[in-house]
Amino acid sequence: TASSLLNAGFIMTDTKIGEKFRFVGGLRVESYNQRFNYIEFGSNLEKTIDTTVVDFLPSINGIYSINKKMKIRSSYYRTVSRPEFRELAPFSFYNFVSDNIVSGDPNLKRATIDNLDLRWELYPGKGQIITISGFYKNFNNPIEMINRTGTSGAPELYFANVKSSTSFGSEIEVRVNLGTFCKKE
């Protein structure tokens, strides 16, 4: 049997500094309880995982208005990624899709993610936008699937925390009102 309970609160401020700068900042506080009961294979003893983790998740956003149609945004925020029950389950199960055995780990920790974003925005007309953005994410204790050979000699995947990982990239978004290309009579 398993259950989870999330209690959270958030405070935020949004203020302009002069005509061109805007600052939006906030803090989300989450208290997450996860309870997981299972029978240990071999000993048939009932085991319980009962954890409560409190996370402080800040967010800071700065917006600079170059003019009425163009802005630059930068942001930092922290997020979390919690293990799912199947990732915590200390037993193996057969995955029919990928034809392998998958095992959970009751000692998994939640991952924390620090996110940085930088974005240029252009608003050429009503309902239209062009953006170019870049992002960077630093993961602490991310949960990964690790491949190993099981006791039967068959491939087995299991969930584990790795020390850290990073992700970065960029994206371009273009949203255009197609009506601007139609001739009006």
Side-chain angles (χ1 to χ4, degrees), residues 56-71:
F56 294 88
L57 307 170
S59 66
I60 301 167
N61 299 279
I63 302 137
Y64 176 71
S65 296
I66 297 169
N67 56 43
K68 289 184 178 186
K69 293 189 174 206
M70 200 180 315
K71 295 180 182 180

PDB file of all heavy atoms in Angstrom, residues 56-71:
ATOM      1  N   PHE A  56      12.241  24.313   0.092  1.00  0.00           N
ATOM      2  CA  PHE A  56      12.077  25.732  -0.148  1.00  0.00           C
ATOM      3  C   PHE A  56      12.468  25.973  -1.603  1.00  0.00           C
ATOM      4  O   PHE A  56      13.615  25.737  -1.987  1.00  0.00           O
ATOM      5  CB  PHE A  56      12.962  26.544   0.804  1.00  0.00           C
ATOM      6  CG  PHE A  56      12.544  26.405   2.232  1.00  0.00           C
ATOM      7  CD1 PHE A  56      13.043  25.374   3.015  1.00  0.00           C
ATOM      8  CD2 PHE A  56      11.621  27.285   2.779  1.00  0.00           C
ATOM      9  CE1 PHE A  56      12.641  25.226   4.334  1.00  0.00           C
ATOM     10  CE2 PHE A  56      11.213  27.144   4.100  1.00  0.00           C
ATOM     11  CZ  PHE A  56      11.724  26.117   4.880  1.00  0.00           C
ATOM     12  N   LEU A  57      11.514  26.411  -2.410  1.00  0.00           N
ATOM     13  CA  LEU A  57      11.697  26.511  -3.857  1.00  0.00           C
ATOM     14  C   LEU A  57      11.554  27.971  -4.304  1.00  0.00           C
ATOM     15  O   LEU A  57      10.453  28.451  -4.567  1.00  0.00           O
ATOM     16  CB  LEU A  57      10.681  25.619  -4.572  1.00  0.00           C
ATOM     17  CG  LEU A  57      10.656  24.156  -4.088  1.00  0.00           C
ATOM     18  CD1 LEU A  57       9.470  23.413  -4.676  1.00  0.00           C
ATOM     19  CD2 LEU A  57      11.958  23.471  -4.431  1.00  0.00           C
ATOM     20  N   PRO A  58      12.684  28.688  -4.397  1.00  0.00           N
ATOM     21  CA  PRO A  58      12.620  30.100  -4.797  1.00  0.00           C
ATOM     22  C   PRO A  58      12.475  30.273  -6.303  1.00  0.00           C
ATOM     23  O   PRO A  58      12.824  29.388  -7.081  1.00  0.00           O
ATOM     24  CB  PRO A  58      13.976  30.648  -4.325  1.00  0.00           C
ATOM     25  CG  PRO A  58      14.894  29.464  -4.416  1.00  0.00           C
ATOM     26  CD  PRO A  58      14.046  28.261  -4.076  1.00  0.00           C
ATOM     27  N   SER A  59      11.960  31.422  -6.696  1.00  0.00           N
ATOM     28  CA  SER A  59      11.948  31.812  -8.110  1.00  0.00           C
ATOM     29  C   SER A  59      12.183  33.312  -8.196  1.00  0.00           C
ATOM     30  O   SER A  59      11.646  34.084  -7.400  1.00  0.00           O
ATOM     31  CB  SER A  59      10.635  31.432  -8.794  1.00  0.00           C
ATOM     32  OG  SER A  59       9.563  32.179  -8.267  1.00  0.00           O
ATOM     33  N   ILE A  60      13.025  33.704  -9.151  1.00  0.00           N
ATOM     34  CA  ILE A  60      13.368  35.112  -9.364  1.00  0.00           C
ATOM     35  C   ILE A  60      13.300  35.368 -10.864  1.00  0.00           C
ATOM     36  O   ILE A  60      13.899  34.632 -11.649  1.00  0.00           O
ATOM     37  CB  ILE A  60      14.788  35.424  -8.845  1.00  0.00           C
ATOM     38  CG1 ILE A  60      14.904  35.101  -7.357  1.00  0.00           C
ATOM     39  CG2 ILE A  60      15.159  36.869  -9.117  1.00  0.00           C
ATOM     40  CD1 ILE A  60      16.327  35.086  -6.843  1.00  0.00           C
ATOM     41  N   ASN A  61      12.568  36.397 -11.257  1.00  0.00           N
ATOM     42  CA  ASN A  61      12.430  36.756 -12.669  1.00  0.00           C
ATOM     43  C   ASN A  61      12.700  38.240 -12.835  1.00  0.00           C
ATOM     44  O   ASN A  61      12.140  39.059 -12.099  1.00  0.00           O
ATOM     45  CB  ASN A  61      11.005  36.469 -13.164  1.00  0.00           C
ATOM     46  CG  ASN A  61      10.655  35.020 -13.048  1.00  0.00           C
ATOM     47  OD1 ASN A  61      11.021  34.240 -13.902  1.00  0.00           O
ATOM     48  ND2 ASN A  61       9.966  34.648 -11.983  1.00  0.00           N
ATOM     49  N   GLY A  62      13.521  38.578 -13.814  1.00  0.00           N
ATOM     50  CA  GLY A  62      13.764  39.970 -14.161  1.00  0.00           C
ATOM     51  C   GLY A  62      13.345  40.217 -15.597  1.00  0.00           C
ATOM     52  O   GLY A  62      13.644  39.412 -16.479  1.00  0.00           O
ATOM     53  N   ILE A  63      12.634  41.302 -15.817  1.00  0.00           N
ATOM     54  CA  ILE A  63      12.148  41.630 -17.159  1.00  0.00           C
ATOM     55  C   ILE A  63      12.583  43.053 -17.491  1.00  0.00           C
ATOM     56  O   ILE A  63      12.338  43.984 -16.715  1.00  0.00           O
ATOM     57  CB  ILE A  63      10.608  41.520 -17.245  1.00  0.00           C
ATOM     58  CG1 ILE A  63      10.178  40.103 -16.870  1.00  0.00           C
ATOM     59  CG2 ILE A  63      10.107  41.888 -18.632  1.00  0.00           C
ATOM     60  CD1 ILE A  63       8.996  40.045 -15.986  1.00  0.00           C
ATOM     61  N   TYR A  64      13.247  43.209 -18.634  1.00  0.00           N
ATOM     62  CA  TYR A  64      13.671  44.520 -19.106  1.00  0.00           C
ATOM     63  C   TYR A  64      12.929  44.809 -20.409  1.00  0.00           C
ATOM     64  O   TYR A  64      13.041  44.042 -21.374  1.00  0.00           O
ATOM     65  CB  TYR A  64      15.188  44.556 -19.335  1.00  0.00           C
ATOM     66  CG  TYR A  64      15.671  45.848 -19.920  1.00  0.00           C
ATOM     67  CD1 TYR A  64      15.687  47.007 -19.154  1.00  0.00           C
ATOM     68  CD2 TYR A  64      16.102  45.923 -21.237  1.00  0.00           C
ATOM     69  CE1 TYR A  64      16.128  48.213 -19.687  1.00  0.00           C
ATOM     70  CE2 TYR A  64      16.548  47.119 -21.783  1.00  0.00           C
ATOM     71  CZ  TYR A  64      16.549  48.253 -20.999  1.00  0.00           C
ATOM     72  OH  TYR A  64      16.974  49.436 -21.538  1.00  0.00           O
ATOM     73  N   SER A  65      12.182  45.903 -20.433  1.00  0.00           N
ATOM     74  CA  SER A  65      11.439  46.303 -21.635  1.00  0.00           C
ATOM     75  C   SER A  65      12.311  47.230 -22.471  1.00  0.00           C
ATOM     76  O   SER A  65      12.551  48.383 -22.096  1.00  0.00           O
ATOM     77  CB  SER A  65      10.136  47.013 -21.249  1.00  0.00           C
ATOM     78  OG  SER A  65       9.286  46.125 -20.568  1.00  0.00           O
ATOM     79  N   ILE A  66      12.782  46.719 -23.592  1.00  0.00           N
ATOM     80  CA  ILE A  66      13.597  47.535 -24.496  1.00  0.00           C
ATOM     81  C   ILE A  66      12.727  48.629 -25.111  1.00  0.00           C
ATOM     82  O   ILE A  66      13.121  49.784 -25.192  1.00  0.00           O
ATOM     83  CB  ILE A  66      14.249  46.650 -25.580  1.00  0.00           C
ATOM     84  CG1 ILE A  66      15.196  45.652 -24.904  1.00  0.00           C
ATOM     85  CG2 ILE A  66      14.963  47.495 -26.623  1.00  0.00           C
ATOM     86  CD1 ILE A  66      15.719  44.559 -25.803  1.00  0.00           C
ATOM     87  N   ASN A  67      11.531  48.226 -25.557  1.00  0.00           N
ATOM     88  CA  ASN A  67      10.509  49.162 -26.026  1.00  0.00           C
ATOM     89  C   ASN A  67       9.161  48.465 -25.845  1.00  0.00           C
ATOM     90  O   ASN A  67       9.092  47.418 -25.214  1.00  0.00           O
ATOM     91  CB  ASN A  67      10.764  49.616 -27.476  1.00  0.00           C
ATOM     92  CG  ASN A  67      10.865  48.446 -28.441  1.00  0.00           C
ATOM     93  OD1 ASN A  67      10.083  47.504 -28.377  1.00  0.00           O
ATOM     94  ND2 ASN A  67      11.857  48.503 -29.326  1.00  0.00           N
ATOM     95  N   LYS A  68       8.094  49.012 -26.426  1.00  0.00           N
ATOM     96  CA  LYS A  68       6.759  48.439 -26.209  1.00  0.00           C
ATOM     97  C   LYS A  68       6.593  47.061 -26.843  1.00  0.00           C
ATOM     98  O   LYS A  68       5.712  46.304 -26.473  1.00  0.00           O
ATOM     99  CB  LYS A  68       5.678  49.381 -26.739  1.00  0.00           C
ATOM    100  CG  LYS A  68       5.531  50.628 -25.901  1.00  0.00           C
ATOM    101  CD  LYS A  68       4.397  51.486 -26.399  1.00  0.00           C
ATOM    102  CE  LYS A  68       4.265  52.707 -25.504  1.00  0.00           C
ATOM    103  NZ  LYS A  68       3.111  53.514 -25.835  1.00  0.00           N
ATOM    104  N   LYS A  69       7.429  46.729 -27.819  1.00  0.00           N
ATOM    105  CA  LYS A  69       7.278  45.458 -28.522  1.00  0.00           C
ATOM    106  C   LYS A  69       8.401  44.467 -28.250  1.00  0.00           C
ATOM    107  O   LYS A  69       8.381  43.361 -28.776  1.00  0.00           O
ATOM    108  CB  LYS A  69       7.191  45.712 -30.032  1.00  0.00           C
ATOM    109  CG  LYS A  69       5.936  46.444 -30.436  1.00  0.00           C
ATOM    110  CD  LYS A  69       5.799  46.482 -31.934  1.00  0.00           C
ATOM    111  CE  LYS A  69       4.470  47.096 -32.299  1.00  0.00           C
ATOM    112  NZ  LYS A  69       3.992  46.657 -33.580  1.00  0.00           N
ATOM    113  N   MET A  70       9.390  44.840 -27.428  1.00  0.00           N
ATOM    114  CA  MET A  70      10.542  43.966 -27.245  1.00  0.00           C
ATOM    115  C   MET A  70      10.950  43.912 -25.762  1.00  0.00           C
ATOM    116  O   MET A  70      11.018  44.945 -25.102  1.00  0.00           O
ATOM    117  CB  MET A  70      11.711  44.477 -28.087  1.00  0.00           C
ATOM    118  CG  MET A  70      12.758  43.444 -28.359  1.00  0.00           C
ATOM    119  SD  MET A  70      14.140  44.069 -29.369  1.00  0.00           S
ATOM    120  CE  MET A  70      13.354  44.977 -30.676  1.00  0.00           C
ATOM    121  N   LYS A  71      11.200  42.663 -25.281  1.00  0.00           N
ATOM    122  CA  LYS A  71      11.609  42.465 -23.887  1.00  0.00           C
ATOM    123  C   LYS A  71      12.713  41.423 -23.801  1.00  0.00           C
ATOM    124  O   LYS A  71      12.841  40.557 -24.654  1.00  0.00           O
ATOM    125  CB  LYS A  71      10.429  41.962 -23.048  1.00  0.00           C
ATOM    126  CG  LYS A  71       9.302  42.942 -22.928  1.00  0.00           C
ATOM    127  CD  LYS A  71       8.187  42.382 -22.086  1.00  0.00           C
ATOM    128  CE  LYS A  71       7.060  43.395 -22.039  1.00  0.00           C
ATOM    129  NZ  LYS A  71       5.952  42.936 -21.254  1.00  0.00           N
TER     130      LYS A  71
END
